[in-house]
Amino acid sequence: MAIKRIGVLGSGIMGSGIAEVAAKTGHEVILRSRKLDTAQAMVSGLEKSLAKQVDKGKLSDEDRTATLARVQATDDLDALSGCDLVIESVVEDLDVKRALFAELDRGVQADAILATNTSTLPVIEMAMATERPQQVVGVHFFNPAPMMSLVEIVRPLTASDETVTAVTEFAAACGKDPVEVKDRAGFIVNALLFPYLNNAVRMLEAGTASRDDIDTAMKGGCNFPMGPLALLDLVGLDTSLAILDALHTEFKDPNYAAMPLLRRMVSAGHLGRKSGQGFFDYRR
Ligand SMILES: NC(=O)c1ccc[n+]([C@@H]2O[C@H](COP(=O)([O-])OP(=O)(O)OC[C@H]3O[C@@H](n4cnc5c(N)ncnc54)[C@H](O)[C@@H]3O)[C@@H](O)[C@H]2O)c1
């Protein structure tokens, strides 16, 4: 099955990035947010992002125009009915995602694939909220989606080979490098990454080193492009907390038990870059 028309649900960091990747690689994209002005703001964000790429000589004017012509914004879930693939990328909350999958299942054409961009939640739970569990899969992009080459293809017990092949081909058509992984919390990357990020918060909380020194040490000592605290800010502290909670629920490993400081920062609304304040200050 060739995937040509994509629906993207969710107007956060990831929804916008996935829409940009898919549209730039020739797919028709319908962006759906609960509010029309939010969906339209995503299109404006895409316009700005593409304009910057044209200014830098990374994209031709012609390709910018063609990319934008492939994108449509809506607040109506029914507008996704003719999609070949719908990628859900809303808040990391299983109840919200399950309800959305049940609704999508009723509205989207019967042979379409429904995918989630969840970072850690069990894909099987979303599959079983539908009448088409063989056509439900995880398609996990990384942040920022236009720059990161990896896509994890997450295979729940119910997914058919045809579904996995179709989304793997889609990821490759988006210019990404797909890897396949079983439906276990955190998949490959987050299962390995989050104990490290959480332990950086533990170290900060214990006063072992300062915020800046922790990040400088991991950049200079491991050749990582970002320090762990800056990376948590990029991911979003609320999303990071949800990821750790899901990992801890699944594995009960103490390294996945979110540090109290992280939890308190989320309660305070310090969510990282998206709120302007996290471990670092982005308000200037
Ligand atoms: N942030 C990352 O680095 C990253 C990376 C890969 C995957 N993900 C996953 O992508 C998904 C979205 O994450 P994000 O970082 O874009 O989050 P975000 O906070 O930037 O955006 C969340 C979106 O969900 C919408 N939303 C909130 N409550 C909702 C509801 N009840 N019904 C429908 N929509 C609702 C919000 O309006 C917003 O558009 C999550 O599943 C997350 O785990 C995040």
Side-chain angles (χ1 to χ4, degrees), residues 10-22:
S11 47
I13 314 170
M14 292 307 295
S16 313
I18 294 167
E20 176 172 335
V21 168

Side-chain angles (χ1 to χ4, degrees), residues 9-16 18 32-34 38 42 88-93 96-97 100 116-121 139-144 190 231 234-236 238-240 242-243 271 274:
L9 281 176
S11 47
I13 314 170
M14 292 307 295
S16 313
I18 294 167
R32 190 268 180 180
S33 187
R34 289 172 296 174
T38 316
M42 281 173 83
E88 166 281 312
S89 189
V90 307
V91 66
E92 186 78 338
D93 178 312
V96 171
K97 289 185 191 284
L100 212 45
T116 175
N117 184 44
T118 182
S119 302
T120 33
L121 296 171
V139 176
H140 185 216
F141 284 83
F142 286 76
N143 184 12
N190 286 335
L231 180 53
L234 175 72
V235 171
D238 52 344
T239 303
S240 298
I243 290 171
L271 306 183
K274 64 182 159 190

Side-chain angles (χ1 to χ4, degrees), residues 233-253:
D233 280 352
L234 175 72
V235 171
L237 301 194
D238 52 344
T239 303
S240 298
L241 180 59
I243 290 171
L244 280 164
D245 284 346
L247 283 162
H248 193 251
T249 301
E250 180 121 312
F251 298 114
K252 304 289 183 285
D253 178 334

Side-chain angles (χ1 to χ4, degrees), residues 97-175:
K97 289 185 191 284
R98 280 178 54 86
L100 212 45
F101 269 75
E103 215 176 331
L104 283 172
D105 189 37
R106 288 190 290 272
V108 180
Q109 60 181 345
D111 60 352
I113 295 173
L114 306 180
T116 175
N117 184 44
T118 182
S119 302
T120 33
L121 296 171
V123 179
I124 189 70
E125 297 285 342
M126 290 162 249
M128 298 311 284
T130 74
E131 302 289 324
R132 61 177 98 183
Q134 71 285 358
Q135 288 156 243
V136 177
V137 75
V139 176
H140 185 216
F141 284 83
F142 286 76
N143 184 12
M147 284 171 61
M148 302 296 280
S149 62
L150 183 67
V151 173
E152 288 176 327
I153 305 295
V154 185
R155 181 193 271 267
L157 287 173
T158 46
S160 69
D161 289 344
E162 289 74 17
T163 298
V164 172
T165 302
V167 293
T168 302
E169 285 171 358
F170 163 72
C174 286

